[in-house]
Amino acid sequence: MAFDAVNMADWQISEAAEKNMPTPEEWRDKLGLEKDEILPMGRLAKLDFLKIINRLKNKPDGKYIEVTAITPTPLGEGKSTTSCGLMEGLGKRGKNVGGALRQPSGGPTMNVKGTAAGGGNSLLIPMTEFSLGLTGDINDIMNAHNLGMVAMTARMQHERNYNDEQLARLTGMRRLDIDPTRVEFGWIIDFCAQALRNIVIGLGGRTDGYTMQSKFGIAVGSELMAILSIATDLADLKERINNITVAFDKSGKPVTCRDLEVGNAMAAFMRNTINPTLMCTAEYNPCLVHAGPFANIAVGQSSIIADRVALKLFDYNITESGFAADIGFEKFWNVKCRYSGLKPHVSVLTATIRALKMHGGGPKVVPGKPLDDAYTKENVGLVEKGCENMVHLINVIRKAGINPVVCINRFYSDTDEECRVVRRIAEAAGARCAESKHWELGGDGALEFADAVIDACNEENDFKFLYPLEMKLRDRVEMITKEVYGGDGVDWSPEALTKAKMLESDPQYADYATMMVKSHLSLSHDPTLKGVPKGWRLPVRDILIYSGAKFLCPCAGTISLMPGTSSNPAFRRIDVDPESGKVSGLF
């Protein structure tokens, strides 16, 4: 039975649902796991992925379903809620279903966006653990990453203080000669802390480090998190960590974690992060939570490991991509699936009447401010015009050969006529379409949605990548711009063009993934351009190189790896009961 989502806060629904939440031992029986395949951690448990994969290696994979969205308002359009709702709807239909979702960052949880647990009757539980660190993966990543910075800054101090003979005699280390103006690495913390974007470290004397400019980024933006999302096992994780470029020496050569002799210790800190954490929806559908990488400089999805495990345990595995289909789905399609070798069956395009009205010319949507009446009163004309964005992204999904299903994530203020327009246009574009009220009603509100996904899964598809791996970087970016974003072409800044030519001429980078960085609030690079912008070109100003993850990130616009905390952050409303220890105020 669904809870009263209209009058209950998310944390209250979670607290009520947790009363009957299966224990790790009960999950072991439900999922048919061996005793040593589940690793209890309080109310939660991790799964030993290698043992499960090895035992079930001959079992066919289940259906692979990705959830994405139209270009969102700044409020988001409910991909996590839709993912949980689909699990619940399929569960109501008697299917063996589960999911694989990202772990949320403490930054957004304590800022404006709140947690990424879904909402209403379609959320992940236990919500407190999920929102406040879970089983410690992000803390392990912070320790590993910051150890890399400790190793580098200490090395720079010792090389300054000792001559070559002393360095060799006292430490056994060779001189790396790191250029302090070309340090790529920074420190990380899992909060939005704008005061730490630009800092100076090493103030004091000769034994207080090396004085230089430095920086903090948010933990989920760390290359270590990006690596965790694509690693195949612990050996792969360790090798990728050792290959991370932390800086360049004074002759321009990269200095890696292997050069600093710290990569293995960093991997040791991350030894437990390799295993997914088992959670569930408010209706007790199992869901693996693993990794939480940025959706701009990384894949923005849960891990390949979580998907591999889920596809063996469940007949239907639901996974979610960050941002909209032009970014998250494109990376799922051309990066994650290429690395994993897994073939998706269906992509769900989440749409809201609110976002469609925005794309149709509705007033600006500002987080923290009341919505204009245009978004809460019927306006079929705005919705119809805004469907251009939806149709464009349906066509992007179809280019991958995947069957698209449009889910109208229905709000209480949406009207039947507005939804009928969306359905008509979506079906004319070649997609299945279903309304869903999972937020309000849980699985019972997602039955039509579940049926559409089952139907789409049973239809053959012809999955194919947008470009071959042999294609040169600039050609890839040109193709993504034209075929996915709808732009006319690419303009490279002199610096970016020089980098692109260098990267294309070096065979070392031939198999690096192309990880586009641009605004998620528009199909273009300009967040103010809504709908389907015409007559524009993508300006690429720089290319970031991540040698551990093996990503090349062409940047269309500025990027900050350290968000800022707003003037009305969520932490003001979060509290803990000193008697019971229960947390309230999470949303």
Side-chain angles (χ1 to χ4, degrees):
M1 180 179 176
F3 297 100
D4 182 1
V6 175
N7 294 307
M8 293 175 70
D10 287 349
W11 65 268
Q12 293 172 317
I13 292 175
S14 178
E15 185 177 282
E18 287 166 27
K19 293 176 182 177
N20 296 311
M21 185 176 71
T23 65
E25 292 74 21
E26 289 170 334
W27 276 122
R28 190 182 73 203
D29 294 336
K30 285 175 179 285
L31 300 179
L33 298 170
E34 302 291 333
K35 187 175 182 179
D36 61 350
E37 291 173 348
I38 192 161
L39 310 169
M41 302 185 74
R43 298 200 290 173
L44 298 172
K46 278 180 169 281
L47 301 185
D48 192 316
F49 92 96
L50 265 182
K51 290 178 180 175
I52 295 171
I53 289 292
N54 288 336
R55 178 171 61 85
L56 300 177
K57 61 186 176 184
N58 296 322
K59 181 185 177 185
D61 286 348
K63 303 293 187 182
Y64 193 19
I65 301 151
E66 182 258 3
V67 175
T68 185
I70 64 172
T71 306
T73 69
L75 306 176
E77 307 319 309
K79 292 190 303 295
S80 298
T81 309
T82 297
S83 299
C84 292
L86 181 54
M87 290 180 227
E88 292 170 341
L90 288 167
K92 290 284 186 180
R93 288 301 192 211
K95 302 300 183 182
N96 172 23
V97 60
L101 300 180
R102 287 185 292 174
Q103 179 181 353
S105 163
T109 298
M110 293 294 159
N111 198 8
V112 176
K113 187 176 184 295
T115 185
N121 282 291
S122 293
L123 51 72
L124 286 185
I125 62 171
M127 192 177 182
T128 295
E129 283 89 335
F130 181 67
S131 306
L132 302 180
L134 201 60
T135 48
D137 290 356
I138 291 179
N139 281 338
D140 289 342
I141 287 169
M142 283 195 289
N143 283 332
H145 182 114
N146 290 332
L147 178 62
M149 276 298 287
V150 168
M152 185 193 69
T153 53
R155 184 66 165 260
M156 293 173 74
Q157 172 194 311
H158 297 315
E159 288 190 13
R160 180 198 61 203
N161 290 350
Y162 299 137
N163 61 35
D164 288 350
E165 184 276 329
Q166 291 172 316
L167 194 67
R169 175 168 51 83
L170 296 173
T171 71
M173 297 187 297
R174 65 184 177 87
R175 186 172 295 277
L176 295 179
D177 209 20
I178 293 170
D179 183 345
T181 68
R182 296 198 65 193
V183 172
E184 299 293 305
F185 234 40
W187 310 87
I188 62 169
I189 186 173
D190 199 37
F191 294 118
C192 300
Q194 57 266 51
L196 297 177
R197 285 176 184 151
N198 301 287
I199 61 173
V200 176
I201 60 173
L203 299 177
R206 291 173 60 82
T207 60
D208 295 315
Y210 192 99
T211 305
M212 63 178 180
Q213 185 172 341
S214 190
K215 61 190 176 184
F216 268 82
I218 195 166
V220 292
S222 167
E223 187 171 356
L224 295 180
M225 181 64 90
I227 288 171
L228 180 62
S229 69
I230 59 168
T232 54
D233 54 30
L234 193 54
D236 184 36
L237 181 85
K238 187 164 80 166
E239 178 65 17
R240 289 178 180 274
I241 291 173
N242 273 291
N243 290 336
I244 291 174
T245 299
V246 296
F248 292 88
D249 67 19
K250 291 176 182 175
S251 64
K253 295 177 182 177
V255 177
T256 66
C257 290
R258 180 177 284 106
D259 294 323
L260 290 168
E261 301 175 73
V262 72
N264 293 345
M266 293 165 69
F269 261 116
M270 288 182 64
R271 69 195 184 283
N272 292 323
T273 68
I274 202 77
N275 291 315
T277 299
L278 177 62
M279 295 186 62
C280 65
T281 71
E283 295 186 358
Y284 315 118
N285 308 102
C287 182
L288 306 186
V289 175
H290 198 216
F294 258 24
N296 45 21
I297 60 164
V299 291
Q301 289 136 38
S302 60
S303 70
I304 288 173
I305 284 174
D307 279 342
R308 288 175 62 203
V309 173
L311 287 166
K312 293 300 182 186
L313 292 177
F314 313 129
D315 295 336
Y316 292 83
N317 172 41
I318 317 301
T319 194
E320 175 198 333
S321 298
F323 292 160
D326 58 323
I327 300 179
F329 171 76
E330 188 276 315
K331 293 174 180 180
F332 173 80
W333 170 19
N334 293 303
V335 179
K336 189 180 184 185
C337 289
R338 199 189 302 265
Y339 277 168
S340 70
L342 300 171
K343 176 186 173 183
H345 295 81
V346 169
S347 180
V348 172
L349 186 66
T350 307
T352 62
I353 299 299
R354 176 179 68 195
L356 292 170
K357 286 179 175 178
M358 178 192 72
H359 289 298
K364 186 176 182 180
V365 177
V366 180
K369 292 188 177 181
L371 284 171
D372 189 275
D373 286 347
Y375 293 104
T376 56
K377 294 179 180 178
E378 183 174 271
N379 191 323
V380 175
L382 277 183
V383 173
E384 188 164 17
K385 179 71 169 63
C387 281
E388 292 178 356
N389 182 273
M390 176 187 72
V391 170
H392 179 91
L393 294 172
I394 288 172
N395 290 334
V396 168
I397 292 168
R398 294 183 68 193
K399 286 176 183 178
I402 301 174
N403 300 325
V405 174
V406 171
C407 171
I408 304 173
N409 182 16
R410 187 159 179 175
F411 296 176
Y412 69 91
S413 59
D414 302 339
T415 69
D416 291 343
E417 185 58 31
E418 289 172 331
C419 292
R420 270 194 292 270
V421 167
V422 178
R423 185 187 297 271
R424 171 175 56 80
I425 294 174
E427 290 177 346
R432 291 170 174 83
C433 185
E435 293 179 34
S436 191
K437 296 183 178 179
H438 43 264
W439 180 88
E440 179 184 358
L441 303 173
D444 286 334
L447 296 178
E448 180 196 357
F449 177 27
D451 291 341
V453 169
I454 292 169
D455 190 42
C457 282
N458 290 332
E459 183 180 293
E460 283 296 314
N461 68 28
D462 182 27
F463 178 69
K464 53 188 178 294
F465 298 118
L466 179 64
Y467 53 82
L469 198 56
E470 297 74 29
M471 183 177 281
K472 295 291 187 182
L473 174 65
R474 281 175 291 170
D475 294 332
R476 293 187 198 180
V477 176
E478 187 87 12
M479 180 169 279
I480 292 169
T481 299
K482 291 179 176 179
E483 297 296 325
V484 178
Y485 307 155
D488 293 340
V490 182
D491 293 327
W492 298 82
S493 72
E495 180 187 12
L497 183 61
T498 299
K499 269 191 181 180
K501 290 178 178 178
M502 178 274 290
L503 293 165
E504 289 173 352
S505 66
D506 190 337
Q508 171 189 343
Y509 301 105
D511 64 343
Y512 275 42
T514 301
M515 198 67 63
M516 299 297 296
V517 179
K518 76 168 189 70
S519 171
H520 67 289
L521 296 175
S522 172
L523 290 172
S524 75
H525 60 284
D526 183 348
T528 66
L529 300 180
K530 305 301 181 183
V532 183
K534 302 294 184 185
W536 62 277
R537 296 176 65 81
L538 187 77
V540 176
R541 65 168 185 83
D542 195 9
I543 305 170
L544 304 179
I545 304 169
Y546 291 96
S547 55
K550 300 182 78 172
F551 294 165
L552 298 179
C553 303
C555 297
T558 57
I559 175 176
S560 173
L561 296 182
M562 174 53 84
T565 289
S566 74
S567 59
N568 187 24
F571 63 70
R572 296 176 65 193
R573 294 171 286 282
I574 296 171
D575 197 3
V576 60
D577 186 314
E579 299 296 327
S580 66
K582 291 180 180 179
V583 174
S584 61
L586 290 166
F587 71 100

